[in-house]
Amino acid sequence: MRDVAPVPAADTAAAAPAAAAEPTLRQLAARHDLAFGTAVAMAALADDAEYRTWVAAQFDTVTAENEMKWAALEPARGRYEWGPADALVAFAEAHGQRVRGHTLVWHNQNPAWLADVPRDELGAVLKDHVQTTVRRFRGRIWQWDVVNEVFEDDGTLRDTVWLRALGPGYIADAFRWAHEADPDALLFYNDYEVEEVNAKSDGMYDLVRELVRQDVPIHGVGVQGHLTADHAPLTMRENLGRFDALGLRTAVTEADVRMPLPADPVKLQAQANVYRTALDACLRTPGCLSFTVWGYTDRYSWVPGWFEGDGAATILDEDFAPKPAHRALRDGLSSGGRRRRD
Ligand code: G3I
């Protein structure tokens, strides 16, 4: 296995001035019994002390942006590389944080060798991946994204290697396998463009309602929250509410709000409103456990690499200067409290 240096501890006393002067995001979120989280880019965590300080000081939970995906964990069949994922879990534990595990069953970032696995072995291979990974971190992962992004925009199941080889039953099986491997972890279905009431979230609703009816061990639904500054998700509260009514937890798992570059004050204010709308939807949903941003500084955001011409999607700019969105989230977390349902 490749040697991975432990990530240095963060110097939280040296938190950026704006953060040091005020309660942290995690302190504000605690008033609502909400966990405020971020995705973490492991290279930045290892190399950038300012990045590390912000992660440790401001957030309750961390999600590996890439290091717990299958391709990263098992690059060659049977050869696991746990180092970077272990390093993140250790960092979280050293800073009193919980971990969102991301993600076990997906159609992306799977290892190349999977393409050579005969079809009739795929079920056993998937089960082994899920259980080996969940067991490895047993007792140390708060929420697992067990199944990720299985819907098309129209709410039908996406045509993936798993659906073709195993039929739709693999979704329930994945939750059962994960639950066997760590009965205490909260198990989530996670997807994008399901923040609002639409055909895709209708499909997701039908699926998870059926899983609940069949007593499949699913505990929550994650709405990723990759949003755009030109559209506030006004039906998000209603949408989270219908999953809440099924007795499921909910979570915003990957929030960011992109805009066409260059950013300007009008776009940044619109972005702030979108972040705030998403946060408020979570705060008004009794079972919404956590609000996670998919990176918190434009220095390391995935967005410009994926959406040509877009960017500025996070709450701090490339120099860690807070944007209006940062203030909007702080304001949202500063107002009122709520009674949460566990
Ligand atoms: O690991 C290779 C590295 O060896 C190589 O040198 C480098 C050159 O480009 O690429 C590296 O892989 C990149 C990987 O991130 C790790 O950095 C891939 O090219 C890149 O495509 C990959 O992007 C990630 C993307 O998922 C892939 O699907 C993003 O960082 C990550 O933010 C993004 O996260 C997803 C969530 O998991 C699920 N929801 C949507 C979200 C955004 O797409």
Side-chain angles (χ1 to χ4, degrees):
M1 189 199 292
R2 193 157 51 94
D3 279 344
V4 177
V7 175
D11 180 6
T12 42
E22 304 179 299
T24 61
L25 288 166
R26 63 193 294 195
Q27 286 168 339
L28 292 173
R31 299 177 185 177
H32 305 266
D33 204 5
L34 176 77
F36 202 93
T38 184
V40 168
M42 283 307 286
L45 196 73
D47 299 341
D48 183 336
E50 194 174 8
Y51 180 87
R52 198 154 57 232
T53 295
W54 273 88
V55 173
Q58 296 289 328
F59 299 99
D60 293 297
T61 75
V62 290
T63 310
E65 188 173 352
N66 287 298
E67 288 72 16
M68 288 192 189
K69 295 171 180 174
W70 194 348
L73 292 179
E74 196 185 2
R77 192 168 181 180
R79 180 169 65 76
Y80 287 89
E81 291 205 358
W82 300 109
D86 281 349
L88 181 64
V89 174
F91 181 90
E93 290 172 351
H95 297 95
Q97 299 169 314
R98 289 188 283 185
V99 180
R100 293 200 81 262
H102 176 82
T103 179
L104 297 167
V105 183
W106 197 19
H107 58 278
N108 268 338
Q109 289 179 283
N110 286 328
W113 55 262
L114 202 57
D116 301 325
V117 174
R119 191 185 170 111
D120 62 357
E121 289 178 27
L122 279 170
V125 166
L126 184 64
K127 178 178 181 183
D128 181 60
H129 163 64
V130 168
Q131 296 207 315
T132 302
T133 306
V134 174
R135 263 194 222 109
R136 166 84 189 186
F137 299 106
R138 185 178 172 130
R140 302 171 77 193
I141 301 283
W142 180 32
Q143 304 174 12
W144 263 116
D145 289 334
V146 176
V147 179
N148 198 42
E149 302 178 0
V150 304
F151 286 105
E152 303 283 1
D153 289 349
D154 65 2
T156 58
L157 285 182
R158 187 192 289 270
D159 181 23
T160 67
V161 57
W162 308 121
L163 185 66
R164 284 194 295 276
L166 308 173
Y170 80 89
I171 297 172
D173 284 343
F175 283 98
R176 294 189 185 105
W177 297 331
H179 187 61
E180 245 175 59
D182 185 350
D184 294 327
L186 293 178
L187 306 182
F188 276 68
Y189 176 77
N190 188 52
D191 214 327
Y192 62 91
E193 283 171 21
V194 291
E195 295 74 26
E196 296 202 72
V197 176
N198 57 32
K200 189 169 180 179
S201 65
D202 285 350
M204 181 170 83
Y205 180 78
D206 291 344
L207 170 77
V208 302
R209 187 184 49 186
E210 188 55 22
L211 295 177
V212 168
R213 199 186 64 76
Q214 294 174 8
D215 283 329
V216 173
I218 178 174
H219 308 117
V221 166
V223 301
Q224 295 183 2
H226 294 295
L227 301 169
T228 56
D230 63 1
H231 178 79
L234 295 179
T235 62
M236 187 163 163
R237 163 70 192 107
E238 179 189 344
N239 190 43
L240 293 182
R242 62 177 170 162
F243 293 98
D244 202 67
L246 292 176
L248 292 170
R249 279 76 156 204
T250 51
V252 178
T253 55
E254 306 182 13
D256 54 20
V257 181
R258 60 189 185 269
M259 64 183 70
L261 295 172
D264 64 30
V266 173
K267 293 180 206 170
L268 289 170
Q269 188 51 52
Q271 176 187 56
N273 294 342
V274 173
Y275 268 108
R276 177 70 192 267
T277 303
L279 174 66
D280 285 350
C282 175
L283 288 177
R284 291 169 60 200
T285 305
C288 189
L289 300 185
S290 54
F291 187 96
T292 299
V293 291
W294 203 243
Y296 65 90
T297 165
D298 291 340
R299 190 178 293 182
Y300 301 111
S301 170
W302 69 292
V303 168
W306 280 64
F307 297 97
E308 206 184 330
D310 279 10
T314 73
I315 59 177
L316 307 183
D317 73 12
E318 294 187 353
D319 298 318
F320 294 84
K323 299 181 195 171
H326 180 258
R327 171 53 55 196
L329 291 179
R330 295 183 61 86
D331 288 349
L333 293 170
S334 300
S335 56
R338 65 165 179 161
R339 185 174 302 156
R340 204 192 72 193
R341 175 175 60 72
D342 276 323

